[in-house]
Amino acid sequence: MQKNLKLKKYGNEPFKLALIHGGPGAAGYMMGIGKILSKKIGIIEPFQTETSIDKLVLELRRSIENYCKIPVILLGHSWGAWLSMIFAAQFPKYVEKLILVSTGPFEKKYMNTTQHIRFSRLSPKDKTVIFMLQEEILRSSNPDSVFLKIGKILSKTDTFSAISTENEIGEIDYNIFKNVWAEANNLRLKGELIEYIKKIKCPVSAIHGSYDPHPAIGVKDPLSKYLNDFQFYELEKCGHYPWNEKFAVDEFFEILGKEIP
């Protein structure tokens, strides 16, 4: 029996834009985008509740079929950008355009760069706490709460100048993160993310902050190489969450205004 679909809605029907959240396992935090863009387009933010990529792809398909006017625009953030790309490669008729925000690098040669940048930005105290929490989460009876603590510390490394220090937090699920991220990272290690990129037929735009610990070159280079219709925007003084960046938020929404008809 299929699970009931969980999602947020912004604006009015027809829903033509889907916000695909990151994490994995951090559903519902894209409200800041949804509230602004819903003034011009109907939006859903489907929650990812499955623990494998194949099931997440099918869950997203159900959400689009049940709530959206097809084809849709997928706006994916972080891990959600990867999921959006995988979905568009498998179901091209469902997707009008991809907008990839703060994407992780697609190739294994960049995979350690993000962690190196993050740890270089942490204080000695925060580094110690992170190591303790990484050990604690393995034996905790409430790993979701530990996962949340880790995320709050790492958010310091991901932001240049935050508008709000209170992150929008939806539903945290460490079990989803643990299972899906292991599978997703394996796709990168084996070069399979690049194979998905090669199958994408719709226009793709990527927006990336210059301060994002995920290296922009690891996003721009492969997408430029393999896509026929691709635009890349780099935002200065901007980290991993452009809609919460003091110096980049206006330009971020200006770009989205151009990219979303």
Side-chain angles (χ1 to χ4, degrees):
M1 190 172 74
Q2 289 183 327
K3 293 181 181 179
N4 291 329
L5 295 169
K6 296 183 67 175
L7 72 161
K8 290 183 178 181
K9 298 177 184 177
Y10 306 95
N12 302 313
E13 295 185 53
F15 298 114
K16 285 284 293 177
L17 173 65
L19 304 178
I20 312 303
H21 68 77
Y29 66 78
M30 296 182 75
M31 183 184 300
I33 297 178
K35 285 182 175 179
I36 297 294
L37 295 185
S38 64
K39 297 172 184 177
K40 67 177 294 187
I41 191 170
I43 302 169
I44 66 166
E45 183 183 359
F47 284 27
Q48 300 163 33
T49 67
E50 301 287 356
T51 55
S52 76
I53 293 175
D54 284 347
K55 289 182 178 180
L56 287 174
V57 168
L58 294 177
E59 181 179 55
L60 177 54
R61 180 179 178 177
R62 285 180 60 216
S63 296
I64 291 171
E65 288 176 339
N66 279 275
Y67 293 98
C68 295
K69 183 178 180 181
I70 301 171
V72 297
I73 299 170
L74 297 183
L75 192 162
H77 176 254
S78 196
W79 144 253
W82 284 13
L83 179 59
S84 299
M85 182 192 70
I86 292 168
F87 182 87
Q90 293 188 23
F91 299 104
K93 292 183 180 179
Y94 281 66
V95 184
E96 177 181 331
K97 175 185 280 191
L98 287 176
I99 301 174
L100 310 179
V101 178
S102 306
T103 311
F106 295 105
E107 297 171 291
K108 66 179 181 180
K109 62 183 176 181
Y110 298 110
M111 62 182 291
N112 294 322
T113 306
T114 300
Q115 183 176 1
H116 174 76
I117 293 173
R118 278 176 166 159
F119 273 78
S120 72
R121 294 173 180 174
L122 286 173
S123 68
K125 179 181 177 181
D126 280 341
K127 288 178 184 177
T128 300
V129 173
I130 282 286
F131 288 132
M132 291 174 57
L133 291 174
Q134 287 174 336
E135 292 182 4
E136 180 183 344
I137 202 168
L138 299 176
R139 59 180 184 272
S140 174
S141 60
N142 186 10
D144 293 350
S145 66
V146 183
F147 186 42
L148 180 59
K149 291 177 184 177
I150 293 172
K152 285 184 175 180
I153 294 174
L154 291 181
S155 69
K156 300 177 186 179
T157 73
D158 290 3
T159 304
F160 185 84
S161 183
I163 295 170
S164 171
T165 56
E166 293 297 321
N167 289 335
E168 297 162 0
I169 297 171
E171 297 187 7
I172 301 298
D173 193 315
Y174 177 70
N175 189 50
I176 292 176
F177 171 81
K178 179 178 66 175
N179 286 281
V180 174
W181 182 244
E183 186 181 355
N185 199 41
N186 194 44
L187 291 180
R188 174 164 58 184
L189 285 170
K190 296 192 298 183
E192 293 183 19
L193 289 177
I194 299 298
E195 296 306 311
Y196 282 118
I197 291 173
K198 293 177 182 178
K199 295 177 182 177
I200 293 173
K201 304 300 182 186
C202 66
V204 179
S205 296
I207 306 172
H208 210 87
S210 63
Y211 191 75
D212 194 322
H214 301 79
I217 190 173
V219 177
K220 183 179 181 180
D221 281 9
L223 294 179
S224 300
K225 183 176 181 180
Y226 295 112
L227 297 176
N228 293 322
D229 190 345
F230 174 63
Q231 295 288 326
F232 186 82
Y233 303 91
E234 186 163 0
L235 303 177
E236 296 299 321
K237 298 182 179 179
C238 178
H240 195 57
Y241 301 89
W243 62 96
N244 190 38
E245 286 282 0
K246 189 182 302 180
F247 298 106
V249 61
D250 290 342
E251 185 179 1
F252 175 65
F253 282 109
E254 284 175 12
I255 292 169
L256 292 182
K258 292 187 295 184
E259 292 291 331
I260 298 170

